[in-house]
């Protein structure tokens, strides 16, 4: 059974998740840790639970979801894995910072590792996460879906009662609506863990989210 711990990070209140199972292996999803106390909280949780991080995953390349990549690389030797269509954001992190976070002082992002594509599988412990392409908020946005546990990590594609913005570089409302139609086919009781805000379910969003038309 998965154990999922959420950490709310940085000035945009971004959700970082540490996901583990009975084997003690874990993956870190969207490490937006910016402040020292956020990095300390994540590392302390991993240490106290005797976890072994084996993957650092990003749902997309925006800086608020990747501030902590350098910290994770230095401490655990993991390079971020993300969809190839968002690699430019990792490679141009300084340009992102200058435009959206001109006040931020942060460690430069290390180079990305594995570049992901639709239907790729992330394995850790006794579990698997499947990559589902969900472009729209960015070209390389993805869901990470664990079919066995009926849980998914939606990044900024889908929030409780809302969706991610589409006016940034690579954004497209048309593509986002198509992505929402794809993920609306997941089981209604699938828990959605978004990049910002509280968790929800696919069924609740299909029934109440004005942007979803199954």
């Amino acid at each position: 059974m998965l154990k999922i711990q959420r950490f709310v990070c940085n000035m945009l209140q971004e959700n970082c998740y540490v996901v583990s199972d009975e084997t003690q292996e874990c993956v870190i999803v969207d490490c937006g840790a910016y402040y020292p106390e956020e990095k300390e909280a994540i590392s302390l949780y991993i240490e106290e639970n005797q976890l072994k991080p084996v993957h650092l995953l990003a749902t997309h390349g925006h800086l608020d979801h990747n501030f902590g990549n350098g910290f994770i690389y230095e401490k655990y030797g993991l390079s971020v894995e993300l969809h190839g269509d968002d690699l430019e954001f990792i490679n141009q992190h300084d340009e992102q910072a200058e435009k959206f976070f001109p006040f931020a002082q942060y460690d430069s992002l290390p180079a990305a590792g594995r570049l992901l594509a639709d239907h790729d599988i992330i394995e850790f412990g006794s579990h698997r996460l499947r990559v589902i392409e969900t472009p729209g908020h960015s070209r390389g946005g993805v869901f990470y879906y664990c079919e066995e546990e009926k849980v998914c990590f939606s990044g900024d594609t889908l929030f409780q009662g809302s969706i991610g913005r589409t006016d940034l570089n690579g954004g497209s409302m048309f593509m986002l609506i198509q992505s929402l139609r794809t993920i609306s086919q997941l089981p209604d009781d699938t828990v959605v863990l978004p990049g910002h805000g509280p968790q929800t379910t696919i069924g609740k969003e299909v029934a109440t989210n004005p942007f979803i038309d199954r």
Side-chain angles (χ1 to χ4, degrees):
M1 183 174 181
L2 289 181
K3 181 179 181 181
I4 302 172
Q5 182 67 40
R6 180 180 71 148
F7 298 87
V8 180
C9 296
N10 67 57
M11 61 291 293
L12 295 188
Q13 300 290 284
E14 178 268 345
N15 292 331
C16 168
Y17 300 96
V18 177
V19 187
S20 59
D21 67 12
E22 70 283 353
T23 70
Q24 306 304 108
E25 287 193 348
C26 71
V27 300
I28 302 166
V29 180
D30 283 353
C31 189
Y34 175 78
Y35 299 106
E37 56 268 28
E38 296 166 353
K39 299 175 184 178
E40 182 178 357
I42 292 170
S43 59
L44 184 61
Y45 175 81
I46 290 172
E47 179 182 338
E48 288 182 342
N49 288 275
Q50 300 181 331
L51 302 181
K52 178 184 178 182
V54 293
H55 293 284
L56 170 61
L57 305 176
T59 57
H60 62 294
H62 291 159
L63 193 53
D64 58 313
H65 292 252
N66 292 276
F67 272 128
N69 290 0
F71 146 67
I72 296 297
Y73 180 76
E74 290 179 8
K75 193 162 186 70
Y76 304 110
L78 299 177
S79 297
V80 69
E81 303 170 45
L82 79 167
H83 194 283
D85 285 348
D86 267 12
L87 179 61
E88 64 177 301
F89 291 123
I90 300 300
N91 292 340
Q92 299 173 2
H93 48 83
D94 287 336
E95 289 87 341
Q96 274 200 81
E98 182 178 350
K99 185 173 182 179
F100 298 107
F101 305 97
F103 51 84
Q105 300 294 321
Y106 71 100
D107 297 329
S108 294
L109 302 188
R114 178 185 177 188
L115 299 181
L116 303 171
D118 203 28
H119 302 302
D120 279 353
I121 298 297
I122 309 295
E123 295 185 346
F124 70 102
S126 61
H127 286 81
R128 293 154 55 95
L129 299 175
R130 176 163 60 90
V131 176
I132 302 175
E133 290 180 342
T134 56
H137 177 64
S138 69
R139 281 187 291 269
V142 301
F143 266 46
Y144 295 108
Y145 173 52
C146 180
E147 182 175 6
E148 176 188 359
E149 302 272 351
K150 292 187 179 179
V151 63
C152 62
F153 302 87
S154 66
D156 288 0
T157 296
L158 178 63
F159 305 129
Q160 184 185 81
S162 189
I163 58 174
R165 58 191 292 186
T166 59
D167 59 331
L168 301 176
N169 180 29
S172 165
M173 178 59 78
F174 173 78
M175 294 180 72
L176 186 54
I177 294 300
Q178 295 299 112
S179 295
L180 293 172
R181 287 174 178 166
T182 297
I183 60 91
S184 71
Q185 303 308 308
L186 297 175
D188 284 348
D189 57 348
T190 301
V191 174
V192 178
L193 298 171
H196 302 269
Q199 73 180 48
T200 184
T201 65
I202 292 294
K204 179 179 179 180
E205 296 312 303
V206 168
T208 64
N209 193 311
F211 297 97
I212 296 182
D213 178 12
R214 181 180 271 179

